Amino acid sequence: MTEERTQTLEAIAFIGETLGPLFLYEPTQPEVASLYDELMSLDAREAAVEWPFADPDEAARALSLIQRAPVADADDSLLWEYRRLFAGPAVKAAPPWGSVYTDRECVVFGESTLALRQWLREAGITAPRAGKEPEDHIGLMLLLMAWIARTRPELLDGYLSEHLLTWAPHFLEIVQREAEHPFFEGIALLTASSLQGLQEALDLDVAIPRFYR
C-alpha cells in the first residue's frame, strides 16, 4: 500500500471516529465528552484548513457554528435538541436511519437496512452495537466506515458507494434545515462537506435512490 493511500485511509478513519459518535450518543454520555471538549478547543480557521476532504470555507463555517455552544450547555439545550432531532420520544425531526428515507413506507429496518445487513454478513463483519441499533444508523455507519478503512480497506469503495453515500447527504441536508441549535447544524455541515470531498477524492460513482421523506 502506498503512503498516499495509507494517509487517505487514516483521514477517512478520523472522520468516522470523530463525527460518528456525535450522532450516536446523547451529549451527556461519557462516550462523547472528550469529543465535545476537543471540538470546542479548536481554532476554527486553522482546523478548517487541515480538516480532511472538506471544503475549507465550509469547514470553517461548520466549526464556528459548533463552537457557539459552550461545553456546559451539553446538559441542557444540546441534550434536548439531540433528542428532538434524532432520538425522541416525540416525533423525530431527522430520524438517523437510512431506510426511513429510502423505504416507501418510511420505516426503520426497511429494505436498505436489510441490504446492508446482508452485505455485512457476506463480508464477515459484525456491525457495531449489533442487536442494539439498526445497522443503517448514521452514527454507526460512520464508525463502520472508520473500521473498514483501518481493517478491510478493500471493501471501502463498495460500502461507501452502495450504502453510506446513497442516503447520508440527503439526511444531512435535512439536519441542517431542521436544526434549531447551531451545534447540530455545524456537525451536519461538516459531515456533509467531508463526505462530499471524500466521494470526489475516491472518484466514486453513487446511484442516488428515490427518497420518500
Side-chain angles (χ1 to χ4, degrees):
M1 186 181 299
T2 66
E3 182 178 353
E4 181 180 0
R5 175 66 171 171
T6 299
Q7 291 175 347
T8 297
L9 293 172
E10 184 61 32
I12 293 169
F14 168 81
I15 291 170
E17 291 169 350
T18 302
L19 299 175
L22 298 170
F23 291 100
L24 188 58
Y25 297 105
E26 290 189 343
T28 53
Q29 291 184 277
E31 289 86 350
V32 291
S34 62
L35 284 175
Y36 276 81
D37 290 341
E38 290 166 10
L39 286 169
M40 298 304 178
S41 65
L42 291 174
D43 181 294
R45 179 59 62 178
E46 290 183 3
V49 175
E50 301 295 330
W51 195 272
F53 306 111
D55 175 84
D57 290 334
E58 289 186 346
R61 184 161 69 90
L63 289 165
S64 295
L65 286 166
I66 289 166
Q67 292 178 349
R68 289 185 190 176
V71 175
D73 192 37
D75 291 327
D76 191 9
S77 63
L78 269 176
L79 175 60
W80 291 111
E81 177 68 349
Y82 178 93
R83 292 176 176 174
R84 188 187 70 83
L85 287 169
F86 309 128
V91 175
K92 291 171 275 294
W97 305 282
S99 66
V100 172
Y101 304 97
T102 60
D103 191 278
R104 184 181 297 273
E105 303 300 323
C106 300
V107 294
V108 180
F109 290 110
E111 291 184 7
S112 63
T113 315
L114 299 179
L116 175 58
R117 182 177 295 175
Q118 179 65 25
W119 184 88
L120 292 168
R121 185 181 300 116
E122 292 175 354
I125 298 173
T126 299
R129 293 167 61 94
K132 298 181 180 179
E133 190 75 56
E135 290 88 341
D136 61 342
H137 187 290
I138 185 64
L140 288 180
M141 293 193 73
L142 288 168
L143 286 170
L144 183 57
M145 176 184 75
W147 184 89
I148 291 173
R150 291 191 188 281
T151 62
R152 300 285 299 278
E154 73 279 6
L155 300 176
L156 184 62
D157 287 7
Y159 172 71
L160 292 171
S161 60
E162 297 171 19
H163 298 286
L164 178 58
L165 295 179
T166 54
W167 71 278
H170 175 75
F171 161 76
L172 294 165
E173 285 182 6
I174 291 174
V175 177
Q176 291 179 68
R177 184 177 71 238
E178 295 291 336
E180 296 177 358
H181 193 296
F183 181 88
F184 290 106
E185 181 185 355
I187 289 297
L189 173 59
L190 186 59
T191 307
S193 186
S194 299
L195 291 180
Q196 180 180 347
L198 170 57
Q199 179 178 342
E200 293 170 356
L202 297 182
D203 193 24
L204 297 177
D205 185 18
V206 179
I208 305 301
R210 177 177 178 180
F211 295 115
Y212 295 92
R213 174 168 175 166

